[in-house]
Amino acid sequence: MARRSLLFSPGDRPELMRKAPGTGADTVCFDLEDAVAPAAKADARAAVADVLSDPAFDPDCEVCVRVNADPDAARADLDALPDGARLDAVMVPKVESAADAETVARMLAERDRDVPLVALCESAAGVLHAEAIAAVEAVGAVAFGAEDLAADIGATRTPEGTEVLHAREHVVLAAAAAGVDAIDTVFTDIEDTDRLADETAFAAGLGYDGKMCIHPAQVPVVNDAFTPDPERVAWAARVLDAVEEGARDEVGVLRVDGEMIDAPLVAQAERVRERARAAGAWTGP
């Protein structure tokens, strides 16, 4: 499953939550944390539960809920979801250690919910412990939060992002080492779609699998940046066809377009296939 785009939708805005899957986002995340004022938490929990329990709400995308960082509040968030409510993943904010992720994993197990966690590393401690966090069995993705990190360490955010680049690279390395998805930070300037496209292409080049979005207009830009171009898709198809033929003919050494094909290139081709499938741009098996 591709997670090119993860779109946040405020948990106290049911009309926006119901519309979110129509944006084309691979993941929609109903937010019970930052997007909801403290006084509105109870109403937001009820609204999220109502949407997720509606039989008519059955979108063809991943449905995630971001719970609150405080364990008691997170427990209340999960308790509000009735049995049978649609829930494909849970985002855990402000994760600073493996224990933080494991705590929410236990809460889900106690409620017979077997869904992956998206662990948000957005503090100095979270970034430094990203490797251990990503390795938690229940974690299916780690996400990088540049804005909260900058506030935590006293950095000044710049358009170039050099102040958070080391942390951004550290998180994607941790995800790759654990074999889970890496989701890049939000882009806060909703109007600047050109720079969003550049930022997302840069994140894809670093190895990220997707990016968090804070507005529906960002989703197509992000999806496009994570969708391989036709030449890359054609290359991946040739590589994977060669692998299949080589396995059938018991050939150990493969060449495609004059290039020796080894395991890393096969892995690249498989990633291209996954992203192309998510975009409907893959015609092969």
Side-chain angles (χ1 to χ4, degrees), residues 3-7 24-26 183-187 193 196-201 203-204 209-228 275:
R3 291 187 175 105
R4 298 169 301 168
S5 51
L6 183 152
L7 174 65
D26 291 333
I183 304 175
D184 191 39
T185 189
V186 299
F187 183 78
T193 55
L196 170 61
D198 291 341
E199 271 282 300
T200 308
D209 299 287
K211 191 170 183 66
M212 296 182 286
C213 303
I214 57 174
H215 191 276
Q218 294 182 326
V219 170
V221 179
V222 168
N223 281 350
D224 185 63
F226 278 104
T227 299
R275 289 179 178 175

PDB file of all heavy atoms in Angstrom, residues 3-7 24-26 183-187 193 196-201 203-204 209-228 275:
ATOM      1  N   ARG A   3       1.664   5.204   0.554  1.00  0.00           N
ATOM      2  CA  ARG A   3       1.237   6.333   1.392  1.00  0.00           C
ATOM      3  C   ARG A   3       1.894   7.604   0.842  1.00  0.00           C
ATOM      4  O   ARG A   3       2.660   8.266   1.523  1.00  0.00           O
ATOM      5  CB  ARG A   3       1.637   6.111   2.853  1.00  0.00           C
ATOM      6  CG  ARG A   3       0.894   4.991   3.574  1.00  0.00           C
ATOM      7  CD  ARG A   3       1.258   4.972   5.061  1.00  0.00           C
ATOM      8  NE  ARG A   3       0.490   4.009   5.817  1.00  0.00           N
ATOM      9  CZ  ARG A   3       0.982   2.848   6.261  1.00  0.00           C
ATOM     10  NH1 ARG A   3       2.246   2.521   5.997  1.00  0.00           N
ATOM     11  NH2 ARG A   3       0.222   2.025   6.963  1.00  0.00           N
ATOM     12  N   ARG A   4       1.606   7.930  -0.424  1.00  0.00           N
ATOM     13  CA  ARG A   4       2.207   9.114  -1.023  1.00  0.00           C
ATOM     14  C   ARG A   4       1.736  10.383  -0.329  1.00  0.00           C
ATOM     15  O   ARG A   4       2.516  11.308  -0.096  1.00  0.00           O
ATOM     16  CB  ARG A   4       1.838   9.194  -2.509  1.00  0.00           C
ATOM     17  CG  ARG A   4       2.331   8.048  -3.372  1.00  0.00           C
ATOM     18  CD  ARG A   4       1.675   8.113  -4.732  1.00  0.00           C
ATOM     19  NE  ARG A   4       0.223   8.041  -4.615  1.00  0.00           N
ATOM     20  CZ  ARG A   4      -0.635   8.307  -5.593  1.00  0.00           C
ATOM     21  NH1 ARG A   4      -0.167   8.694  -6.777  1.00  0.00           N
ATOM     22  NH2 ARG A   4      -1.938   8.208  -5.410  1.00  0.00           N
ATOM     23  N   SER A   5       0.465  10.448  -0.021  1.00  0.00           N
ATOM     24  CA  SER A   5      -0.126  11.637   0.585  1.00  0.00           C
ATOM     25  C   SER A   5      -0.954  11.243   1.796  1.00  0.00           C
ATOM     26  O   SER A   5      -1.745  10.299   1.746  1.00  0.00           O
ATOM     27  CB  SER A   5      -1.018  12.370  -0.434  1.00  0.00           C
ATOM     28  OG  SER A   5      -1.934  11.460  -1.022  1.00  0.00           O
ATOM     29  N   LEU A   6      -0.745  11.980   2.890  1.00  0.00           N
ATOM     30  CA  LEU A   6      -1.542  11.791   4.109  1.00  0.00           C
ATOM     31  C   LEU A   6      -2.182  13.133   4.422  1.00  0.00           C
ATOM     32  O   LEU A   6      -1.494  14.095   4.750  1.00  0.00           O
ATOM     33  CB  LEU A   6      -0.656  11.315   5.262  1.00  0.00           C
ATOM     34  CG  LEU A   6      -1.355  11.002   6.589  1.00  0.00           C
ATOM     35  CD1 LEU A   6      -0.574   9.943   7.369  1.00  0.00           C
ATOM     36  CD2 LEU A   6      -1.524  12.250   7.464  1.00  0.00           C
ATOM     37  N   LEU A   7      -3.496  13.199   4.298  1.00  0.00           N
ATOM     38  CA  LEU A   7      -4.227  14.450   4.478  1.00  0.00           C
ATOM     39  C   LEU A   7      -4.881  14.499   5.846  1.00  0.00           C
ATOM     40  O   LEU A   7      -5.690  13.639   6.197  1.00  0.00           O
ATOM     41  CB  LEU A   7      -5.303  14.595   3.394  1.00  0.00           C
ATOM     42  CG  LEU A   7      -6.241  15.803   3.545  1.00  0.00           C
ATOM     43  CD1 LEU A   7      -5.465  17.111   3.395  1.00  0.00           C
ATOM     44  CD2 LEU A   7      -7.386  15.725   2.537  1.00  0.00           C
ATOM     45  N   GLY A  24      -8.355  12.317  -3.199  1.00  0.00           N
ATOM     46  CA  GLY A  24      -7.378  11.437  -3.826  1.00  0.00           C
ATOM     47  C   GLY A  24      -6.205  11.091  -2.923  1.00  0.00           C
ATOM     48  O   GLY A  24      -5.239  10.462  -3.379  1.00  0.00           O
ATOM     49  N   ALA A  25      -6.276  11.490  -1.660  1.00  0.00           N
ATOM     50  CA  ALA A  25      -5.205  11.164  -0.725  1.00  0.00           C
ATOM     51  C   ALA A  25      -5.132   9.658  -0.504  1.00  0.00           C
ATOM     52  O   ALA A  25      -6.163   8.980  -0.419  1.00  0.00           O
ATOM     53  CB  ALA A  25      -5.426  11.871   0.606  1.00  0.00           C
ATOM     54  N   ASP A  26      -3.925   9.136  -0.396  1.00  0.00           N
ATOM     55  CA  ASP A  26      -3.760   7.710  -0.106  1.00  0.00           C
ATOM     56  C   ASP A  26      -4.175   7.400   1.325  1.00  0.00           C
ATOM     57  O   ASP A  26      -4.657   6.296   1.613  1.00  0.00           O
ATOM     58  CB  ASP A  26      -2.303   7.286  -0.311  1.00  0.00           C
ATOM     59  CG  ASP A  26      -1.899   7.310  -1.775  1.00  0.00           C
ATOM     60  OD1 ASP A  26      -2.781   7.135  -2.640  1.00  0.00           O
ATOM     61  OD2 ASP A  26      -0.706   7.499  -2.060  1.00  0.00           O
ATOM     62  N   ILE A 183       7.263   9.196   6.144  1.00  0.00           N
ATOM     63  CA  ILE A 183       6.350  10.236   5.671  1.00  0.00           C
ATOM     64  C   ILE A 183       6.926  11.591   6.063  1.00  0.00           C
ATOM     65  O   ILE A 183       7.218  11.835   7.238  1.00  0.00           O
ATOM     66  CB  ILE A 183       4.942  10.040   6.251  1.00  0.00           C
ATOM     67  CG1 ILE A 183       4.415   8.638   5.900  1.00  0.00           C
ATOM     68  CG2 ILE A 183       3.987  11.101   5.720  1.00  0.00           C
ATOM     69  CD1 ILE A 183       3.083   8.299   6.520  1.00  0.00           C
ATOM     70  N   ASP A 184       7.064  12.457   5.097  1.00  0.00           N
ATOM     71  CA  ASP A 184       7.742  13.734   5.295  1.00  0.00           C
ATOM     72  C   ASP A 184       6.826  14.764   5.959  1.00  0.00           C
ATOM     73  O   ASP A 184       5.600  14.636   5.976  1.00  0.00           O
ATOM     74  CB  ASP A 184       8.229  14.257   3.942  1.00  0.00           C
ATOM     75  CG  ASP A 184       9.171  15.435   4.066  1.00  0.00           C
ATOM     76  OD1 ASP A 184      10.012  15.434   4.989  1.00  0.00           O
ATOM     77  OD2 ASP A 184       9.080  16.351   3.236  1.00  0.00           O
ATOM     78  N   THR A 185       7.452  15.809   6.442  1.00  0.00           N
ATOM     79  CA  THR A 185       6.785  16.873   7.182  1.00  0.00           C
ATOM     80  C   THR A 185       5.783  17.651   6.337  1.00  0.00           C
ATOM     81  O   THR A 185       5.814  17.608   5.098  1.00  0.00           O
ATOM     82  CB  THR A 185       7.846  17.843   7.738  1.00  0.00           C
ATOM     83  OG1 THR A 185       7.240  18.763   8.638  1.00  0.00           O
ATOM     84  CG2 THR A 185       8.542  18.598   6.613  1.00  0.00           C
ATOM     85  N   VAL A 186       4.913  18.389   7.018  1.00  0.00           N
ATOM     86  CA  VAL A 186       3.931  19.226   6.328  1.00  0.00           C
ATOM     87  C   VAL A 186       4.631  20.413   5.680  1.00  0.00           C
ATOM     88  O   VAL A 186       5.740  20.806   6.067  1.00  0.00           O
ATOM     89  CB  VAL A 186       2.843  19.743   7.293  1.00  0.00           C
ATOM     90  CG1 VAL A 186       2.084  18.586   7.915  1.00  0.00           C
ATOM     91  CG2 VAL A 186       3.448  20.635   8.370  1.00  0.00           C
ATOM     92  N   PHE A 187       3.958  20.991   4.687  1.00  0.00           N
ATOM     93  CA  PHE A 187       4.409  22.224   4.050  1.00  0.00           C
ATOM     94  C   PHE A 187       3.351  23.264   4.362  1.00  0.00           C
ATOM     95  O   PHE A 187       2.185  23.124   3.969  1.00  0.00           O
ATOM     96  CB  PHE A 187       4.556  22.009   2.541  1.00  0.00           C
ATOM     97  CG  PHE A 187       5.094  23.199   1.804  1.00  0.00           C
ATOM     98  CD1 PHE A 187       6.445  23.496   1.829  1.00  0.00           C
ATOM     99  CD2 PHE A 187       4.240  24.043   1.089  1.00  0.00           C
ATOM    100  CE1 PHE A 187       6.954  24.607   1.152  1.00  0.00           C
ATOM    101  CE2 PHE A 187       4.737  25.138   0.406  1.00  0.00           C
ATOM    102  CZ  PHE A 187       6.092  25.421   0.443  1.00  0.00           C
ATOM    103  N   THR A 193       2.164  26.289  -4.356  1.00  0.00           N
ATOM    104  CA  THR A 193       2.184  24.911  -4.835  1.00  0.00           C
ATOM    105  C   THR A 193       3.463  24.580  -5.594  1.00  0.00           C
ATOM    106  O   THR A 193       3.876  23.414  -5.636  1.00  0.00           O
ATOM    107  CB  THR A 193       0.959  24.627  -5.724  1.00  0.00           C
ATOM    108  OG1 THR A 193       0.906  25.590  -6.776  1.00  0.00           O
ATOM    109  CG2 THR A 193      -0.327  24.697  -4.905  1.00  0.00           C
ATOM    110  N   LEU A 196       5.909  23.670  -2.998  1.00  0.00           N
ATOM    111  CA  LEU A 196       5.480  22.379  -2.452  1.00  0.00           C
ATOM    112  C   LEU A 196       5.939  21.253  -3.364  1.00  0.00           C
ATOM    113  O   LEU A 196       6.437  20.217  -2.891  1.00  0.00           O
ATOM    114  CB  LEU A 196       3.959  22.342  -2.300  1.00  0.00           C
ATOM    115  CG  LEU A 196       3.350  20.976  -1.963  1.00  0.00           C
ATOM    116  CD1 LEU A 196       3.874  20.448  -0.628  1.00  0.00           C
ATOM    117  CD2 LEU A 196       1.822  21.056  -1.957  1.00  0.00           C
ATOM    118  N   ALA A 197       5.785  21.431  -4.680  1.00  0.00           N
ATOM    119  CA  ALA A 197       6.221  20.408  -5.624  1.00  0.00           C
ATOM    120  C   ALA A 197       7.722  20.167  -5.512  1.00  0.00           C
ATOM    121  O   ALA A 197       8.182  19.011  -5.511  1.00  0.00           O
ATOM    122  CB  ALA A 197       5.847  20.813  -7.051  1.00  0.00           C
ATOM    123  N   ASP A 198       8.489  21.249  -5.401  1.00  0.00           N
ATOM    124  CA  ASP A 198       9.944  21.114  -5.264  1.00  0.00           C
ATOM    125  C   ASP A 198      10.304  20.424  -3.947  1.00  0.00           C
ATOM    126  O   ASP A 198      11.190  19.563  -3.915  1.00  0.00           O
ATOM    127  CB  ASP A 198      10.606  22.489  -5.330  1.00  0.00           C
ATOM    128  CG  ASP A 198      10.518  23.123  -6.711  1.00  0.00           C
ATOM    129  OD1 ASP A 198      10.271  22.379  -7.686  1.00  0.00           O
ATOM    130  OD2 ASP A 198      10.676  24.349  -6.798  1.00  0.00           O
ATOM    131  N   GLU A 199       9.649  20.842  -2.864  1.00  0.00           N
ATOM    132  CA  GLU A 199       9.905  20.254  -1.546  1.00  0.00           C
ATOM    133  C   GLU A 199       9.599  18.757  -1.545  1.00  0.00           C
ATOM    134  O   GLU A 199      10.325  17.955  -0.963  1.00  0.00           O
ATOM    135  CB  GLU A 199       9.036  20.943  -0.491  1.00  0.00           C
ATOM    136  CG  GLU A 199       9.656  22.153   0.139  1.00  0.00           C
ATOM    137  CD  GLU A 199      10.673  21.757   1.188  1.00  0.00           C
ATOM    138  OE1 GLU A 199      10.318  21.084   2.157  1.00  0.00           O
ATOM    139  OE2 GLU A 199      11.848  22.100   1.009  1.00  0.00           O
ATOM    140  N   THR A 200       8.495  18.382  -2.191  1.00  0.00           N
ATOM    141  CA  THR A 200       8.090  16.980  -2.201  1.00  0.00           C
ATOM    142  C   THR A 200       9.034  16.153  -3.067  1.00  0.00           C
ATOM    143  O   THR A 200       9.385  15.027  -2.706  1.00  0.00           O
ATOM    144  CB  THR A 200       6.645  16.843  -2.702  1.00  0.00           C
ATOM    145  OG1 THR A 200       5.802  17.727  -1.958  1.00  0.00           O
ATOM    146  CG2 THR A 200       6.143  15.427  -2.507  1.00  0.00           C
ATOM    147  N   ALA A 201       9.447  16.710  -4.199  1.00  0.00           N
ATOM    148  CA  ALA A 201      10.418  16.009  -5.040  1.00  0.00           C
ATOM    149  C   ALA A 201      11.726  15.799  -4.285  1.00  0.00           C
ATOM    150  O   ALA A 201      12.365  14.743  -4.399  1.00  0.00           O
ATOM    151  CB  ALA A 201      10.657  16.792  -6.324  1.00  0.00           C
ATOM    152  N   ALA A 203      12.009  15.526  -1.015  1.00  0.00           N
ATOM    153  CA  ALA A 203      11.744  14.483  -0.016  1.00  0.00           C
ATOM    154  C   ALA A 203      11.773  13.099  -0.650  1.00  0.00           C
ATOM    155  O   ALA A 203      12.325  12.150  -0.080  1.00  0.00           O
ATOM    156  CB  ALA A 203      10.394  14.726   0.656  1.00  0.00           C
ATOM    157  N   ALA A 204      11.194  12.986  -1.841  1.00  0.00           N
ATOM    158  CA  ALA A 204      11.224  11.700  -2.542  1.00  0.00           C
ATOM    159  C   ALA A 204      12.657  11.306  -2.859  1.00  0.00           C
ATOM    160  O   ALA A 204      13.031  10.126  -2.753  1.00  0.00           O
ATOM    161  CB  ALA A 204      10.393  11.783  -3.824  1.00  0.00           C
ATOM    162  N   ASP A 209       8.599   8.123   1.436  1.00  0.00           N
ATOM    163  CA  ASP A 209       7.542   7.443   0.693  1.00  0.00           C
ATOM    164  C   ASP A 209       6.319   8.319   0.485  1.00  0.00           C
ATOM    165  O   ASP A 209       5.486   8.037  -0.374  1.00  0.00           O
ATOM    166  CB  ASP A 209       7.109   6.170   1.438  1.00  0.00           C
ATOM    167  CG  ASP A 209       8.247   5.187   1.592  1.00  0.00           C
ATOM    168  OD1 ASP A 209       8.624   4.567   0.586  1.00  0.00           O
ATOM    169  OD2 ASP A 209       8.773   5.050   2.715  1.00  0.00           O
ATOM    170  N   GLY A 210       6.185   9.359   1.296  1.00  0.00           N
ATOM    171  CA  GLY A 210       5.018  10.211   1.192  1.00  0.00           C
ATOM    172  C   GLY A 210       5.205  11.478   1.997  1.00  0.00           C
ATOM    173  O   GLY A 210       6.242  11.693   2.621  1.00  0.00           O
ATOM    174  N   LYS A 211       4.164  12.313   1.974  1.00  0.00           N
ATOM    175  CA  LYS A 211       4.230  13.608   2.662  1.00  0.00           C
ATOM    176  C   LYS A 211       2.877  13.908   3.298  1.00  0.00           C
ATOM    177  O   LYS A 211       1.831  13.600   2.721  1.00  0.00           O
ATOM    178  CB  LYS A 211       4.607  14.708   1.668  1.00  0.00           C
ATOM    179  CG  LYS A 211       4.960  16.054   2.315  1.00  0.00           C
ATOM    180  CD  LYS A 211       5.557  16.980   1.263  1.00  0.00           C
ATOM    181  CE  LYS A 211       6.006  18.314   1.874  1.00  0.00           C
ATOM    182  NZ  LYS A 211       7.131  18.138   2.823  1.00  0.00           N
ATOM    183  N   MET A 212       2.924  14.537   4.456  1.00  0.00           N
ATOM    184  CA  MET A 212       1.703  14.959   5.127  1.00  0.00           C
ATOM    185  C   MET A 212       1.179  16.240   4.494  1.00  0.00           C
ATOM    186  O   MET A 212       1.952  17.123   4.123  1.00  0.00           O
ATOM    187  CB  MET A 212       1.958  15.162   6.619  1.00  0.00           C
ATOM    188  CG  MET A 212       2.336  13.882   7.347  1.00  0.00           C
ATOM    189  SD  MET A 212       2.598  14.086   9.137  1.00  0.00           S
ATOM    190  CE  MET A 212       4.193  14.945   9.143  1.00  0.00           C
ATOM    191  N   CYS A 213      -0.136  16.339   4.374  1.00  0.00           N
ATOM    192  CA  CYS A 213      -0.792  17.490   3.757  1.00  0.00           C
ATOM    193  C   CYS A 213      -1.767  18.115   4.742  1.00  0.00           C
ATOM    194  O   CYS A 213      -2.446  17.402   5.493  1.00  0.00           O
ATOM    195  CB  CYS A 213      -1.561  17.075   2.501  1.00  0.00           C
ATOM    196  SG  CYS A 213      -0.567  16.261   1.237  1.00  0.00           S
ATOM    197  N   ILE A 214      -1.863  19.440   4.702  1.00  0.00           N
ATOM    198  CA  ILE A 214      -2.771  20.133   5.606  1.00  0.00           C
ATOM    199  C   ILE A 214      -3.939  20.779   4.871  1.00  0.00           C
ATOM    200  O   ILE A 214      -4.802  21.398   5.509  1.00  0.00           O
ATOM    201  CB  ILE A 214      -2.022  21.200   6.432  1.00  0.00           C
ATOM    202  CG1 ILE A 214      -1.312  22.203   5.525  1.00  0.00           C
ATOM    203  CG2 ILE A 214      -1.045  20.534   7.390  1.00  0.00           C
ATOM    204  CD1 ILE A 214      -0.678  23.379   6.273  1.00  0.00           C
ATOM    205  N   HIS A 215      -3.981  20.619   3.558  1.00  0.00           N
ATOM    206  CA  HIS A 215      -5.080  21.198   2.763  1.00  0.00           C
ATOM    207  C   HIS A 215      -5.323  20.303   1.557  1.00  0.00           C
ATOM    208  O   HIS A 215      -4.361  19.785   0.962  1.00  0.00           O
ATOM    209  CB  HIS A 215      -4.725  22.616   2.310  1.00  0.00           C
ATOM    210  CG  HIS A 215      -5.877  23.367   1.730  1.00  0.00           C
ATOM    211  ND1 HIS A 215      -6.252  23.232   0.406  1.00  0.00           N
ATOM    212  CD2 HIS A 215      -6.744  24.248   2.287  1.00  0.00           C
ATOM    213  CE1 HIS A 215      -7.295  24.001   0.164  1.00  0.00           C
ATOM    214  NE2 HIS A 215      -7.623  24.629   1.289  1.00  0.00           N
ATOM    215  N   PRO A 216      -6.585  20.112   1.166  1.00  0.00           N
ATOM    216  CA  PRO A 216      -6.880  19.247   0.015  1.00  0.00           C
ATOM    217  C   PRO A 216      -6.156  19.644  -1.256  1.00  0.00           C
ATOM    218  O   PRO A 216      -5.813  18.780  -2.073  1.00  0.00           O
ATOM    219  CB  PRO A 216      -8.398  19.384  -0.146  1.00  0.00           C
ATOM    220  CG  PRO A 216      -8.895  19.720   1.222  1.00  0.00           C
ATOM    221  CD  PRO A 216      -7.821  20.584   1.831  1.00  0.00           C
ATOM    222  N   ALA A 217      -5.903  20.947  -1.449  1.00  0.00           N
ATOM    223  CA  ALA A 217      -5.226  21.392  -2.667  1.00  0.00           C
ATOM    224  C   ALA A 217      -3.802  20.879  -2.760  1.00  0.00           C
ATOM    225  O   ALA A 217      -3.216  20.852  -3.856  1.00  0.00           O
ATOM    226  CB  ALA A 217      -5.234  22.920  -2.744  1.00  0.00           C
ATOM    227  N   GLN A 218      -3.222  20.474  -1.644  1.00  0.00           N
ATOM    228  CA  GLN A 218      -1.851  19.962  -1.665  1.00  0.00           C
ATOM    229  C   GLN A 218      -1.773  18.517  -2.139  1.00  0.00           C
ATOM    230  O   GLN A 218      -0.713  18.079  -2.598  1.00  0.00           O
ATOM    231  CB  GLN A 218      -1.241  20.067  -0.265  1.00  0.00           C
ATOM    232  CG  GLN A 218      -1.054  21.489   0.226  1.00  0.00           C
ATOM    233  CD  GLN A 218      -0.405  21.544   1.599  1.00  0.00           C
ATOM    234  OE1 GLN A 218      -0.621  20.677   2.446  1.00  0.00           O
ATOM    235  NE2 GLN A 218       0.404  22.571   1.824  1.00  0.00           N
ATOM    236  N   VAL A 219      -2.861  17.790  -2.033  1.00  0.00           N
ATOM    237  CA  VAL A 219      -2.838  16.349  -2.315  1.00  0.00           C
ATOM    238  C   VAL A 219      -2.411  16.031  -3.746  1.00  0.00           C
ATOM    239  O   VAL A 219      -1.497  15.219  -3.959  1.00  0.00           O
ATOM    240  CB  VAL A 219      -4.201  15.704  -1.981  1.00  0.00           C
ATOM    241  CG1 VAL A 219      -4.251  14.268  -2.491  1.00  0.00           C
ATOM    242  CG2 VAL A 219      -4.445  15.741  -0.483  1.00  0.00           C
ATOM    243  N   PRO A 220      -3.031  16.622  -4.788  1.00  0.00           N
ATOM    244  CA  PRO A 220      -2.602  16.269  -6.150  1.00  0.00           C
ATOM    245  C   PRO A 220      -1.156  16.643  -6.437  1.00  0.00           C
ATOM    246  O   PRO A 220      -0.478  15.938  -7.193  1.00  0.00           O
ATOM    247  CB  PRO A 220      -3.580  17.033  -7.054  1.00  0.00           C
ATOM    248  CG  PRO A 220      -4.174  18.084  -6.196  1.00  0.00           C
ATOM    249  CD  PRO A 220      -4.184  17.547  -4.808  1.00  0.00           C
ATOM    250  N   VAL A 221      -0.681  17.729  -5.840  1.00  0.00           N
ATOM    251  CA  VAL A 221       0.710  18.134  -6.047  1.00  0.00           C
ATOM    252  C   VAL A 221       1.652  17.094  -5.452  1.00  0.00           C
ATOM    253  O   VAL A 221       2.640  16.678  -6.079  1.00  0.00           O
ATOM    254  CB  VAL A 221       0.977  19.515  -5.410  1.00  0.00           C
ATOM    255  CG1 VAL A 221       2.427  19.927  -5.605  1.00  0.00           C
ATOM    256  CG2 VAL A 221       0.039  20.563  -5.999  1.00  0.00           C
ATOM    257  N   VAL A 222       1.336  16.652  -4.245  1.00  0.00           N
ATOM    258  CA  VAL A 222       2.170  15.654  -3.570  1.00  0.00           C
ATOM    259  C   VAL A 222       2.094  14.311  -4.290  1.00  0.00           C
ATOM    260  O   VAL A 222       3.116  13.657  -4.520  1.00  0.00           O
ATOM    261  CB  VAL A 222       1.736  15.521  -2.094  1.00  0.00           C
ATOM    262  CG1 VAL A 222       2.362  14.291  -1.441  1.00  0.00           C
ATOM    263  CG2 VAL A 222       2.111  16.783  -1.326  1.00  0.00           C
ATOM    264  N   ASN A 223       0.889  13.893  -4.653  1.00  0.00           N
ATOM    265  CA  ASN A 223       0.750  12.626  -5.371  1.00  0.00           C
ATOM    266  C   ASN A 223       1.548  12.629  -6.661  1.00  0.00           C
ATOM    267  O   ASN A 223       2.207  11.639  -7.015  1.00  0.00           O
ATOM    268  CB  ASN A 223      -0.720  12.350  -5.685  1.00  0.00           C
ATOM    269  CG  ASN A 223      -1.483  11.814  -4.491  1.00  0.00           C
ATOM    270  OD1 ASN A 223      -0.895  11.471  -3.464  1.00  0.00           O
ATOM    271  ND2 ASN A 223      -2.796  11.746  -4.610  1.00  0.00           N
ATOM    272  N   ASP A 224       1.488  13.756  -7.368  1.00  0.00           N
ATOM    273  CA  ASP A 224       2.218  13.853  -8.639  1.00  0.00           C
ATOM    274  C   ASP A 224       3.725  13.744  -8.425  1.00  0.00           C
ATOM    275  O   ASP A 224       4.428  13.091  -9.205  1.00  0.00           O
ATOM    276  CB  ASP A 224       1.875  15.167  -9.328  1.00  0.00           C
ATOM    277  CG  ASP A 224       2.512  15.270 -10.706  1.00  0.00           C
ATOM    278  OD1 ASP A 224       2.178  14.452 -11.579  1.00  0.00           O
ATOM    279  OD2 ASP A 224       3.363  16.157 -10.901  1.00  0.00           O
ATOM    280  N   ALA A 225       4.216  14.366  -7.354  1.00  0.00           N
ATOM    281  CA  ALA A 225       5.659  14.337  -7.088  1.00  0.00           C
ATOM    282  C   ALA A 225       6.145  12.943  -6.732  1.00  0.00           C
ATOM    283  O   ALA A 225       7.298  12.591  -6.981  1.00  0.00           O
ATOM    284  CB  ALA A 225       6.006  15.318  -5.974  1.00  0.00           C
ATOM    285  N   PHE A 226       5.266  12.149  -6.145  1.00  0.00           N
ATOM    286  CA  PHE A 226       5.639  10.781  -5.780  1.00  0.00           C
ATOM    287  C   PHE A 226       5.245   9.759  -6.848  1.00  0.00           C
ATOM    288  O   PHE A 226       5.413   8.560  -6.649  1.00  0.00           O
ATOM    289  CB  PHE A 226       5.010  10.388  -4.436  1.00  0.00           C
ATOM    290  CG  PHE A 226       5.776  10.887  -3.245  1.00  0.00           C
ATOM    291  CD1 PHE A 226       5.317  11.962  -2.512  1.00  0.00           C
ATOM    292  CD2 PHE A 226       6.968  10.289  -2.872  1.00  0.00           C
ATOM    293  CE1 PHE A 226       6.026  12.426  -1.416  1.00  0.00           C
ATOM    294  CE2 PHE A 226       7.683  10.740  -1.780  1.00  0.00           C
ATOM    295  CZ  PHE A 226       7.215  11.822  -1.046  1.00  0.00           C
ATOM    296  N   THR A 227       4.712  10.231  -7.959  1.00  0.00           N
ATOM    297  CA  THR A 227       4.356   9.330  -9.056  1.00  0.00           C
ATOM    298  C   THR A 227       5.505   9.297 -10.058  1.00  0.00           C
ATOM    299  O   THR A 227       5.883  10.341 -10.599  1.00  0.00           O
ATOM    300  CB  THR A 227       3.073   9.804  -9.757  1.00  0.00           C
ATOM    301  OG1 THR A 227       1.992   9.800  -8.816  1.00  0.00           O
ATOM    302  CG2 THR A 227       2.725   8.892 -10.923  1.00  0.00           C
ATOM    303  N   PRO A 228       6.100   8.143 -10.310  1.00  0.00           N
ATOM    304  CA  PRO A 228       7.232   8.071 -11.241  1.00  0.00           C
ATOM    305  C   PRO A 228       6.814   8.430 -12.660  1.00  0.00           C
ATOM    306  O   PRO A 228       5.677   8.179 -13.078  1.00  0.00           O
ATOM    307  CB  PRO A 228       7.687   6.615 -11.135  1.00  0.00           C
ATOM    308  CG  PRO A 228       6.557   5.871 -10.520  1.00  0.00           C
ATOM    309  CD  PRO A 228       5.758   6.845  -9.724  1.00  0.00           C
ATOM    310  N   ARG A 275       4.400   2.762  -6.375  1.00  0.00           N
ATOM    311  CA  ARG A 275       3.944   4.140  -6.530  1.00  0.00           C
ATOM    312  C   ARG A 275       3.138   4.308  -7.819  1.00  0.00           C
ATOM    313  O   ARG A 275       2.143   5.044  -7.846  1.00  0.00           O
ATOM    314  CB  ARG A 275       5.137   5.087  -6.526  1.00  0.00           C
ATOM    315  CG  ARG A 275       5.791   5.206  -5.157  1.00  0.00           C
ATOM    316  CD  ARG A 275       6.984   6.141  -5.183  1.00  0.00           C
ATOM    317  NE  ARG A 275       7.566   6.285  -3.852  1.00  0.00           N
ATOM    318  CZ  ARG A 275       8.664   6.966  -3.588  1.00  0.00           C
ATOM    319  NH1 ARG A 275       9.309   7.578  -4.565  1.00  0.00           N
ATOM    320  NH2 ARG A 275       9.126   7.053  -2.358  1.00  0.00           N
TER     321      ARG A 275
END
